[in-house]
Amino acid sequence: VGVLPSYASIGIAVAPTDGLDLDQLLRNADLALYGAKSDGRRTYRFFEAGMDARAKARRSLELELRQAIVDGSFELHYQPLVDIAANRISGFESLLRWRHPQKGMISPAEFIPVAEDIGLIVALGEWVLREACAEAMKWPADVKVAVNLSPVQFRSRNLVQAVISALAHSGLPARRLELEITETLLLEKSSQVLATLHALRALGVRMSMDDFGTGYSSLSYLRSFPFDKIKIDQSFVRDLGANPDAQAIVRSIVSLGVGLGVTITAEGVETEAELSCLRAEGCHEGQGFLFSRARPNAEVISLLKAQRVATALVA
Ligand code: C2E
Ligand code: MG
Ligand code: MG
């Protein structure tokens, strides 16, 4: 496995335990291969009982996902990004939701990896871009919208065109759109990825590094591309106040941001104690259940109205 190229996966079935004829052995080796692939490829798996049931469940999820695109069962919800010093909403992150006819709301953490595996994320991602830009046009002109991008969308080659077309169709100015990517995208150090990132930034959209601190957190990523924003992963925010190490990490990311002229956003802010700690460290933006969960767009507009009334009362 040490020498397996990144695209190779191996499934193994052994006679006589996994089958007595060629057909059955091949079928079970294939199921084991499927398991190896879903373990992130470049690995091997032996056949195990239960793989069949898991493969069936997975196949039905794939079919349901394809159907959901046709049926329009996806929704975007929006979670506020709050300017900590000004105490006001500066934008919203769009978060994908799947309203399954039987199972109810399904989390993106569950279906996005599957949509990536079967390539459906490209069409789904284009829908998200169009929808988020169009909805943001209903908000005040100084409120931004953030859209998450999957690394798979960068392999499709027409990502830049999809962004241009979402902006053109909605009429949203590019500076109001933020695109969030994660460190995994930069792992490969691919020149095509960097070229796409630069092409996107040249459109005038803002680029954010999401979940910072969870991957390799290599500082070379920050030198390889001029990000406009770094989002500190919620695992560091969760411990703030109680854990001096987490506080030291947040402090250094904030000073890094100040030095590089990059906005620093803390994800997953749940308590007042976390917020006051972030404020003391000079963190620019916060996002989390303390402010609001992701809400449907109808509620976004009332959230913004309520905020305007509140600021008018304070003034
Ligand atoms: P993310 O981009 O890091 O989004 C933040 C996630 O943290 C969201 O989960 C949000 O609901 C959750 N969150 C926000 N505040 C808090 C908090 O105070 N406490 C806790 N415990 N959680 C909080 P969600 O909506 O389940 O999304 C999960 C991930 O799925 C996202 O992580 C993002 O990577 C991905 N995702 C969501 N929508 C899209 C999309 O349209 N396209 C792509 N490619 N990925 C998406
Ligand atoms: Mg995000
Ligand atoms: Mg995040």
Side-chain angles (χ1 to χ4, degrees):
V1 174
V3 294
L4 272 184
S6 60
Y7 45 82
S9 306
I10 299 175
I12 307 163
V14 184
T17 28
D18 302 337
L20 286 169
D21 55 57
L22 190 60
D23 269 1
Q24 177 138 34
L25 278 172
L26 278 177
R27 206 164 39 242
N28 288 344
D30 199 40
L31 285 167
L33 174 64
Y34 205 76
K37 282 184 179 167
S38 61
D39 277 355
R41 296 167 195 266
R42 205 177 192 173
T43 185
Y44 64 94
R45 284 282 295 272
F46 283 92
F47 173 77
E48 288 162 20
M51 277 183 167
D52 200 14
R54 281 200 295 279
K56 280 200 183 105
R58 163 67 192 241
R59 262 194 295 275
S60 82
L61 186 64
E62 289 177 10
L63 289 173
E64 286 172 342
L65 263 178
R66 292 189 200 279
Q67 190 58 38
I69 273 228
V70 178
D71 296 346
S73 311
F74 293 104
E75 296 175 15
L76 279 185
H77 285 197
Y78 300 88
Q79 187 178 32
L81 293 148
V82 177
D83 177 328
I84 293 178
N87 198 25
R88 57 184 294 284
I89 296 172
S90 49
F92 289 85
E93 177 174 4
S94 62
L95 293 162
L96 196 54
R97 299 289 178 259
W98 176 14
R99 201 180 283 279
H100 189 282
Q102 284 89 41
K103 299 176 197 152
M105 282 292 193
I106 302 186
S107 154
E110 215 174 299
F111 68 81
I112 285 185
V114 182
E116 288 178 333
D117 258 11
I118 61 175
L120 198 70
I121 193 71
V122 173
L124 191 53
E126 285 179 13
W127 176 82
V128 171
L129 276 166
R130 279 198 306 275
E131 177 78 6
C133 291
E135 293 293 274
M137 281 300 284
K138 301 175 184 164
W139 309 341
D142 57 344
V143 180
K144 299 188 183 72
V145 67
V147 171
N148 292 286
L149 294 181
S150 152
V152 178
Q153 288 174 273
F154 280 78
R155 278 181 234 140
S156 87
R157 285 179 187 272
N158 57 357
L159 177 59
V160 179
Q161 198 46 50
V163 172
I164 293 174
S165 125
L167 291 171
H169 275 97
S170 60
L172 188 79
R175 62 181 161 75
R176 287 181 61 193
L177 178 62
E178 290 182 341
L179 298 175
E180 298 191 359
I181 62 147
T182 56
E183 289 170 72
T184 46
L185 179 68
L186 298 171
L187 259 181
E188 301 164 27
K189 293 196 163 59
S190 128
S191 55
Q192 189 220 325
V193 164
L194 274 182
T196 307
L197 285 171
H198 281 288
L200 289 170
R201 201 162 183 270
L203 299 175
V205 304
R206 293 164 52 87
M207 304 302 297
S208 308
M209 165 76 85
D210 203 356
D211 304 342
F212 189 70
T214 52
Y216 286 83
S217 310
S218 164
L219 297 178
S220 71
Y221 298 149
L222 302 180
R223 269 185 61 190
S224 62
F225 183 76
F227 285 95
D228 299 284
K229 180 181 282 190
I230 294 170
K231 300 183 77 175
I232 307 176
D233 188 70
Q234 50 185 29
S235 52
F236 301 102
V237 178
R238 187 72 57 254
D239 281 350
L240 274 182
N243 182 342
D245 293 348
Q247 201 165 335
I249 289 170
V250 167
R251 179 172 304 158
S252 51
I253 301 178
V254 170
S255 71
L256 195 69
V258 171
L260 295 172
V262 170
T263 303
I264 304 295
T265 302
E267 298 191 80
V269 185
E270 291 186 352
T271 65
E272 286 290 350
E274 286 161 2
L275 177 61
S276 62
C277 189
L278 289 164
R279 185 175 280 124
E281 296 300 343
C283 185
H284 308 120
E285 257 184 5
Q287 173 181 9
F289 296 165
L290 177 66
F291 305 108
S292 169
R293 288 178 182 260
R295 311 258 195 90
N297 199 33
E299 293 177 39
V300 163
I301 291 159
S302 52
L303 213 71
L304 284 166
K305 277 192 186 134
Q307 167 182 269
R308 240 171 303 154
V309 173
T311 8
L313 287 178
V314 172

